[in-house]
Amino acid sequence: MHYEIVLWLALLVPFVIGLICTILPSVRIALGAMCCCVFGTCVAGLAVIWHVFQHGAVFTVSNWLFLDGLSAYHYLVMLLIYCLSSAYAWVYFGEELRQGHFTRRQARLFSGLWCESFAAMSLVLFSNNLGVMWVGLEATTLITAFLICIHVSRESMEAMWKYIVICSVGIAFAFMGTLLVAASARGIVSQDALLWTILRDNAARLDPKLMKAAFIFLLVGYGTKAGLAPMHSWLPDAHSKAPAPVSAIFSGFMLNAALYCIMRYIPITESATGGTGWALHLLTGFGLLSIVVAAVFILFQKDLKRLLAYHSVEHLGIIALGLGLGGLGTFAALFHTLNHSLCKSLSFFAAGRLGQMFGSYDMEKMAGSFRASPLWGAGIFGSILALIGIAPFALFMSELQLVKAAVDSSSMAALILFLVGSGVVFVGALQHAIPLAWGRPKGMLKPLRFTALEALIVVIPLALLLVLGMWMPESLSAALKNASGIVQSTLPAEVVVFSGYTP
Amino acid sequence: MTPVIDTTMMLLILSNMALLGLSRLRSCIAVASFQGMLLGLFTVFAHMQALTLRILLIAATSFILKGFVFPRLLRRSIREASTQNEMEPYVGYSMSVMAGMGMLGAALWLGSKLPLNPAAGMDFVVPTGLTTFFTGLFLIVARKNALTQCLGYIILENGIYAIGVISVVEIPALVELGILLDAFVAVLVMGVAIYHINREFDHIDTDQLDTLKG
């Protein structure tokens, strides 16, 4: 099988179907075409991911496009989130259609932009050329901007404007960083100065001063898109005002795509600066700041989707912290990426359906959601429990590995800040979650009936989080080790083993 | 070519100061258009000794996009939003020009620290590019009008472009054109967003987009 062709197809098929979606005759056909596109691409994508995990990287177009262990792992997460979110979009907009709030024009726009964003995020992951990777990420910003305001309102327009301006400026910073990386290779790499594989092979010879300047620009730029504090101000607005399926892909994968771009520069910067841990210290700082800032804001939230958005800031901070700690921390960070994406998309799914039922995202008005809908009430409560790191969910395991990494590297200050931040989040989120699930409803509620598809959308992520919290398949463990080995120059020194759990 | 390059850079800096001091949107757009054309020409001047088809293609695309297409899009947005002037800016115009002087000083210092090693006669390009970058950032932060913020993004991108022209010659044309295309789409998307904001709010004052907090 020619896996290079699969890479091409994974880019072109969503791109073409996205264009076709804009002219389809009905809401259901447009949404159906979108779902077929995502699930069809997923089948082909899984084949190439499996090949990469078994036999190594696939290259094509003069090495401009590739899929190695790190990008294949992220692509796997992306496919999982897009499949779940597409199925959920079918349910979510089906309800809006029934209520007369979703028109054919909106369906065409939504499904078209959804497929295009799928293609753009795939381009980010497939790019070996760092310039093309930048183009892909900027494209995701521009494409997804209008997904926020599918339902035009004053709030959604405001959120969209903040998103475009802040993220575009952030991405411009990343562009400056990309140019500085290319400039640091001047005279060393004669051609293909932006190919990641070539830069990585020559990283020790790059100009350290320029690489430091470049990494600062890249971290601030891509960090803005990843929602790291203090550049996160667009995130709560965009996440809370976008329709729930969009919030799910924003939080479930788009933020990770931006962090993935930063991951690509870690080994290059570390090698160029003599392996002093300079880049890792910066990442640790941003990670800790994100955890602390999110913890403070989580305490005072009233809006459910804003609460979940601040959880995204916290968890992206945890991933950045893991990357900054290195060693087992990198392994934990990558594992946390999968766990957070699954959990956060589920929480936005549940928030969206409950929001449709209550007509509001105000947590006081949404009290007693278990009674209103046992399925989605369990979804929101279970996902919040998982988000705050309760055992035996997988997020508990990845956070425990992160604690072990901090102890191993004697980063006591980081460990204390992480534990304090997580403790505050734990208390703050529980204080919101208990009344949300078990509180006395504000009015008479007619229990919401659910379909088998809805049950699957809730059960699959929760089951995966539970299983991964107790047992990690050998193939996933190997994939994670391979991916973390790419982020750092060596494989993690040791992997923590708890009884009955072998990562 | 040194005098030509230096003159181009001086004109770029003067255009930055003009952008900081002007309140009429049409004048700002005219200055940004001038800056775009200047950058297109600068691409050719900077590589005069080894002019290739790739350089010419990038220079021409940049000249047309930044000099004509972007200004046209912005003028259309002005017409649709029926706005002529910047609203009460967060920082006054005189103070903005003073800040511009400060940014020039900071750019000269930072330019001397960055070992970009430009070719002979190009020493002033990096500080000028950085000044332009800072000017764009300043316009986004210190102005309230959504159109001026969009203009700020174009200026910021101009600054990065100027530095890219002299510090990186190995980037393939396809990537550079992709980047220019992205900038074009960004301006287009911002223009559409401004149109929708104006329709929804009857103004494009970003200071009043303050519903979402906390």
Side-chain angles (χ1 to χ4, degrees):
Chain A
M1 188 171 178
H2 294 286
Y3 290 97
E4 300 83 7
I5 296 172
V6 180
L7 289 190
W8 271 108
L9 287 177
L11 289 175
L12 289 177
V13 169
F15 177 73
V16 173
I17 293 188
L19 295 178
I20 294 171
C21 280
T22 57
I23 51 166
L24 289 175
S26 79
V27 172
R28 284 294 182 191
I29 293 175
L31 290 176
M34 176 196 91
C35 288
C36 290
C37 163
V38 171
F39 282 96
T41 312
C42 179
V43 172
L46 286 176
V48 73
I49 289 169
W50 184 252
H51 176 80
V52 171
F53 285 167
Q54 297 297 314
H55 306 286
V58 173
F59 288 84
T60 185
V61 203
S62 312
N63 296 344
W64 274 37
L65 295 183
F66 80 148
L67 198 69
D68 66 352
L70 183 63
S71 47
Y73 174 70
H74 278 85
Y75 192 46
L76 179 68
V77 177
M78 178 185 141
L79 290 177
L80 197 56
I81 299 307
Y82 260 94
C83 284
L84 284 169
S85 305
S86 301
Y88 174 74
W90 176 269
V91 173
Y92 181 87
F93 288 117
E95 175 64 21
E96 294 215 334
L97 183 65
R98 205 178 56 76
Q99 293 174 357
H101 296 154
F102 197 58
T103 62
R104 188 176 67 171
R105 196 191 67 80
Q106 286 172 316
R108 285 171 166 178
L109 182 67
F110 173 81
S111 45
L113 291 175
W114 186 269
C115 292
E116 300 304 342
S117 71
F118 185 60
M121 287 194 211
S122 304
L123 181 64
V124 172
L125 298 182
F126 295 171
S127 300
N128 188 22
N129 187 309
L130 298 173
V132 176
M133 185 170 85
W134 179 89
V135 169
L137 201 72
E138 169 72 346
T140 64
T141 309
L142 302 173
I143 292 166
T144 54
F146 289 106
L147 282 175
I148 297 173
C149 55
I150 285 288
H151 296 300
V152 177
S153 69
R154 288 187 156 222
E155 287 88 1
S156 67
M157 297 306 301
E158 182 181 334
M160 180 193 65
W161 182 252
K162 286 180 184 170
Y163 171 67
I164 297 180
V165 171
I166 297 174
C167 285
S168 294
V169 171
I171 300 283
F173 269 75
F175 180 35
M176 180 72 117
T178 310
L179 283 183
L180 290 177
V181 169
S184 75
R186 209 173 169 190
I188 298 165
V189 180
S190 57
Q191 55 180 0
D192 294 331
L194 280 178
L195 282 194
W196 181 81
T197 37
I198 290 185
L199 284 170
R200 182 204 52 193
D201 294 343
N202 295 283
R205 296 161 63 208
L206 302 180
D207 187 304
K209 237 179 170 178
L210 268 183
M211 273 309 299
K212 280 186 179 181
F215 191 74
I216 291 171
F217 274 103
L218 290 162
L219 187 55
V220 171
Y222 288 131
T224 305
K225 184 82 190 250
L228 293 177
M231 298 87 69
H232 67 285
S233 59
W234 65 271
L235 193 147
D237 296 347
H239 280 52
S240 62
K241 291 303 151 199
V246 179
S247 309
I249 55 156
F250 270 29
S251 201
F253 193 71
M254 199 181 69
L255 306 181
N256 296 121
L259 208 55
Y260 162 84
C261 296
I262 296 175
M263 285 181 205
R264 283 283 172 203
Y265 288 98
I266 294 174
I268 299 174
T269 314
E270 276 300 304
S271 298
T273 53
T276 53
W278 179 86
L280 301 183
H281 293 321
L282 272 180
L283 266 168
T284 306
F286 273 100
L288 287 171
L289 184 64
S290 304
I291 295 169
V292 172
V293 168
V296 173
F297 278 91
I298 279 172
L299 283 178
F300 306 105
Q301 288 311 309
K302 291 191 167 70
D303 183 292
L304 177 58
K305 284 178 85 182
R306 286 187 86 83
L307 174 81
L308 297 176
Y310 278 109
H311 272 294
S312 297
V313 177
E314 183 218 351
H315 284 277
L316 266 290
I318 290 175
I319 297 169
L321 173 63
L323 292 171
L325 290 172
L328 177 62
T330 310
F331 181 94
L334 289 168
F335 185 32
H336 200 78
T337 300
L338 170 66
N339 300 337
H340 168 252
S341 295
L342 274 171
C343 189
K344 189 50 69 59
S345 46
L346 171 62
S347 57
F348 273 114
F349 296 160
R353 286 294 279 136
L354 291 169
Q356 280 180 329
M357 195 186 334
F358 287 96
S360 167
Y361 291 107
D362 185 333
M363 284 187 278
E364 276 186 26
K365 292 179 185 163
M366 297 173 86
S369 51
F370 251 126
R371 283 188 222 179
S373 169
L375 178 75
W376 291 110
I380 193 73
F381 193 65
S383 59
I384 291 180
L385 288 187
L387 279 174
I388 58 178
I390 280 183
F393 288 110
L395 284 102
F396 169 77
M397 294 309 299
S398 45
E399 289 182 13
L400 197 60
Q401 288 167 353
L402 200 136
V403 168
K404 171 93 168 52
V407 173
D408 287 350
S409 59
S410 307
S411 308
M412 288 307 148
L415 178 63
I416 291 167
L417 273 173
F418 167 65
L419 290 176
V420 170
S422 302
V424 173
V425 169
F426 188 92
V427 175
L430 266 190
Q431 162 200 315
H432 296 304
I434 291 170
L436 179 69
W438 307 106
R440 186 185 294 274
K442 295 287 174 199
M444 286 294 287
L445 284 172
K446 190 179 159 196
L448 186 78
R449 294 178 66 184
F450 57 85
T451 60
L453 178 60
E454 287 181 79
L456 275 177
I457 291 170
V458 175
V459 169
I460 290 174
L462 272 182
L464 278 173
L465 287 168
L466 273 172
V467 170
L468 288 176
M470 291 180 281
W471 169 72
M472 182 182 280
E474 197 57 46
S475 51
L476 179 63
S477 172
L480 279 167
K481 282 179 191 167
N482 185 17
S484 61
I486 292 170
V487 177
Q488 33 187 2
S489 46
T490 53
L491 288 170
E494 58 172 311
V495 173
V496 67
V497 177
F498 300 99
S499 63
Y501 186 88
T502 314
Chain B
M1 282 313 286
T2 308
V4 181
I5 299 281
D6 282 349
T7 311
T8 314
M9 292 302 110
M10 287 310 297
L11 288 171
L12 261 180
I13 288 180
L14 287 174
S15 64
N16 287 333
M17 296 304 154
L19 282 165
L20 291 168
L22 285 169
S23 68
R24 279 196 75 232
L25 286 172
R26 281 187 183 278
S27 312
C28 288
I29 292 170
V31 174
S33 166
F34 169 71
Q35 205 175 74
M37 289 190 262
L38 212 55
L39 280 169
L41 294 174
F42 164 66
T43 313
V44 178
F45 296 152
H47 297 97
M48 200 55 122
Q49 274 137 6
L51 211 53
T52 59
L53 188 64
R54 181 183 81 87
I55 303 279
L56 280 175
L57 185 67
I58 292 164
T61 313
S62 170
F63 188 88
I64 295 165
L65 267 185
K66 292 168 192 278
F68 298 96
V69 180
F70 289 174
R72 196 183 159 87
L73 287 172
L74 289 174
R75 281 194 201 101
R76 201 182 64 179
S77 296
I78 286 186
R79 273 199 306 277
E80 281 163 357
S82 312
T83 176
Q84 295 299 325
N85 292 309
E86 170 62 42
M87 296 90 178
E88 287 291 309
Y90 293 114
V91 183
Y93 299 105
S94 314
M95 280 304 289
S96 297
V97 176
M98 297 284 279
M101 299 292 184
M103 288 187 274
L104 178 59
L108 283 167
W109 175 80
L110 195 62
S112 69
K113 295 282 173 194
L114 279 178
L116 279 166
N117 305 323
M122 305 269 189
D123 302 331
F124 204 44
V125 176
V126 175
T128 309
L130 286 172
T131 310
T132 313
F133 180 83
F134 293 146
T135 304
L137 203 58
F138 185 87
L139 288 174
I140 294 170
V141 176
R143 300 287 188 260
K144 292 177 181 174
N145 192 317
L147 267 168
T148 322
Q149 292 182 340
C150 182
L151 197 78
Y153 173 76
I154 296 170
I155 303 301
L156 184 132
E157 207 274 333
N158 283 351
I160 302 173
Y161 179 86
I163 296 172
V165 165
I166 60 127
S167 57
V168 186
V169 286
E170 293 87 357
I171 294 182
L174 194 64
V175 176
E176 292 215 26
L177 292 177
I179 289 162
L180 278 171
L181 179 72
D182 253 8
F184 165 67
V185 179
V187 175
L188 196 69
V189 166
M190 285 185 195
V192 176
I194 290 170
Y195 168 75
H196 283 293
I197 289 173
N198 185 51
R199 212 172 59 166
E200 197 65 28
F201 289 83
D202 276 334
H203 64 75
I204 50 171
D205 181 357
T206 56
D207 192 37
Q208 291 180 44
L209 301 182
D210 59 354
T211 322
L212 305 172
K213 282 176 184 160

